[in-house]
Structures are given as structure tokens and as C-alpha cells.
Amino acid sequence: MGKLVLLIQAVKYDGSLHCDWETTLLAETDRYVLVYGQLGRSLVHHTRRQTFICETPSLEYYVLLDGYTVNLDLEPDGERYYCNICLPAERTAIGLRFVDLDLDLIRNKACEWTVVDEDEFLENQRVYQYPEDIIEGAERILHRLQDKIQRQAFPFDGFLTCWLDRLPQHSRANRLS
């Protein structure tokens, strides 16, 4: 049986396509979808009208019941986390779709967490006329995500890094050599 390819689509609040890229399904439950983004995949950034070639593979965790995503980018010199604050991801006929609410939480290779794109969040509140409940919800989700990270709660409890050993090209032995 072949690998199932899923198209990930990030859209803006008005439904316009923001970015899309292909991934491979690793696991799916009624709560989340876990995919693998291959090294060299194309990311079409519709907002910027550009296509990027991803220079690192990634594990991508999409929550179906909460408003965030977690990407673990597998860079040659370390792992970087990138979390989107969004509306809950939805399964589509060809993959997943989520509404990006601009706020992002990233962890660099030095393990320092930073909130980014707060200016974009403020600007898009005006551009897309976010309702007050969306603004407050995004801020609550950001704080809840920061709390999960601090407590090392799922999926920040080693769940994603355990999957690395299931990917032959990214086993710990290969990453340490």
C-alpha cells in the first residue's frame, strides 16, 4: 500500500488561500493528524505570489479540536519548533485546511521560545475584521500553548521526537553521525 499524500492548506480569515504544500500522512486520530513534510517539497505562498523549496524536512502536528499547529523542523544543526495560532484544522477530501490567525510561537535551536508576527495579527484584525471572540480566542490559545510547553504536556512531551526514530532517514543514529 502506498503512502497517502495530504495537501495542507493555510487560509486567511476571509477564506483566501495563504499557503499550501504536500505532506505524507503518518498518523490520524479523531483528535489530530500527524504528517511528514519531505525535504525539497514546494511551498506555494499565495499571499506573496512565490514558491519556496523547503530545505528541511518536518514533522507537522495538526489539532482537530484546538486552535494551533506544531511543526518540528529537522534542520541539520538542530530541531526548530514553529507553532501557528489558528482555528482548528479541518480534514478535507485532499488533506487538511486551517485558518491562520497570524500569531506564531517559535523555538530556535537554542531552545528559546518567541512569539512572532504580533504586528501581522494586529494589522489583520483590521484587514479581515476579526470578531472580538476570534481575537480573544487567539490570545487564549497562545497562552494555553505556552503553558503546555512550560509543563511539557502533549504534544511537547516527546511525542514528536519519538516519531523521528520511525523515519529511517532521521533516526537518532543518523542525526548524531
Side-chain angles (χ1 to χ4, degrees):
M1 184 170 182
K3 296 177 180 176
L4 184 59
V5 174
L6 298 183
L7 180 67
I8 308 299
Q9 297 175 307
V11 300
K12 289 298 187 181
Y13 190 73
D14 67 352
S16 61
L17 198 51
H18 177 51
C19 297
D20 64 36
W21 61 98
E22 288 187 345
T23 61
T24 304
L25 180 65
L26 295 176
E28 183 171 8
T29 73
D30 60 345
R31 293 178 21 222
Y32 68 84
V33 176
L34 181 67
V35 299
Y36 177 67
Q38 295 282 342
L39 172 69
R41 69 198 173 283
S42 294
L43 182 144
V44 181
H45 199 298
H46 298 275
T47 308
R48 294 183 187 167
R49 295 185 171 93
Q50 290 181 284
T51 298
F52 299 94
I53 302 303
C54 297
E55 297 180 5
T56 60
S58 63
L59 284 172
E60 302 173 17
Y61 173 82
Y62 295 92
V63 188
L64 302 174
L65 304 173
D66 204 352
Y68 66 92
T69 72
V70 181
N71 283 26
L72 178 58
D73 296 324
L74 310 172
E75 298 180 4
D77 57 347
E79 297 159 359
R80 185 175 75 100
Y81 282 84
Y82 191 102
C83 304
N84 286 295
I85 303 303
C86 56
L87 296 182
E90 297 177 335
R91 199 68 158 86
T92 67
I94 57 173
L96 287 169
R97 180 181 178 105
F98 67 92
V99 176
D100 184 348
L101 295 175
D102 316 307
L103 286 174
D104 300 307
L105 183 59
I106 61 171
R107 189 193 85 177
N108 62 22
K109 291 169 272 196
C111 298
E112 300 164 331
W113 287 94
T114 308
V115 177
V116 296
D117 296 335
E118 291 172 291
D119 55 339
E120 189 178 336
F121 179 60
L122 291 171
E123 172 69 14
N124 284 340
Q125 288 176 35
R126 185 186 59 73
V127 170
Y128 297 109
Q129 299 180 343
Y130 292 171
E132 194 61 36
D133 64 321
I134 294 293
I135 296 167
E136 291 170 2
E139 292 167 347
R140 263 193 317 275
I141 291 164
L142 175 61
H143 294 124
R144 196 165 60 241
L145 192 57
Q146 290 170 316
D147 181 61
K148 280 178 172 276
I149 291 164
Q150 176 125 21
R151 293 183 296 112
Q152 296 182 332
F154 184 84
F156 301 98
D157 59 353
F159 169 76
L160 290 173
T161 53
C162 284
W163 273 91
L164 296 180
D165 291 328
R166 299 182 191 188
L167 304 170
Q169 65 274 38
H170 295 287
S171 70
R172 292 196 186 282
N174 286 342
R175 289 185 296 140
L176 297 175
S177 59

